[in-house]
Amino acid sequence: MPALQSGWVELAVLALVFVALQIWWLSAIARRRRLAQPLTEQEFRQVLERIWLKRSPTDRS
C-alpha cells in the first residue's frame, strides 16, 4: 500500500507544478498584452516628461 500512496503523492506534486506553471504562463501573457496596448495622450506625455527630466542640461557634455 505505501507504494501506491507515494505514487499518488508524486502525481499530486506533478499536478501542482503543472498548475503553477500554467498560472505563471497565463499571467506573463496578460502582462505582455497589457504592455502592448497603446498609450493615451496623457500617459505618453508623462513618459516623455520622465525621459526629459532624466536628461538635465549638465548631462550633455
Side-chain angles (χ1 to χ4, degrees), residues 1-3 5-6 9 13 15-16 18 24-26 28 31 35 38 42-44 48-49 56-57 60:
M1 205 62 183
Q5 289 175 349
S6 69
V9 170
V13 169
L16 287 174
F18 179 74
W24 172 78
W25 179 255
L26 292 173
R31 194 176 318 117
L35 289 174
Q42 180 65 25
E43 292 169 334
F44 182 67
L48 287 179
E49 287 174 359
S56 65
R60 297 182 183 191

Side-chain angles (χ1 to χ4, degrees), residues 9-55:
V9 170
E10 292 170 0
L11 184 62
V13 169
L14 182 64
L16 287 174
V17 169
F18 179 74
V19 168
L21 285 173
Q22 288 294 311
I23 292 171
W24 172 78
W25 179 255
L26 292 173
S27 65
I29 289 173
R31 194 176 318 117
R32 274 188 249 141
R33 283 186 182 170
R34 191 171 50 246
L35 289 174
Q37 291 177 348
L39 298 175
T40 64
E41 185 177 341
Q42 180 65 25
E43 292 169 334
F44 182 67
R45 185 169 292 164
Q46 289 173 350
V47 170
L48 287 179
E49 287 174 359
R50 270 188 263 138
I51 291 171
W52 287 107
L53 286 176
K54 287 181 184 177
R55 295 183 72 194

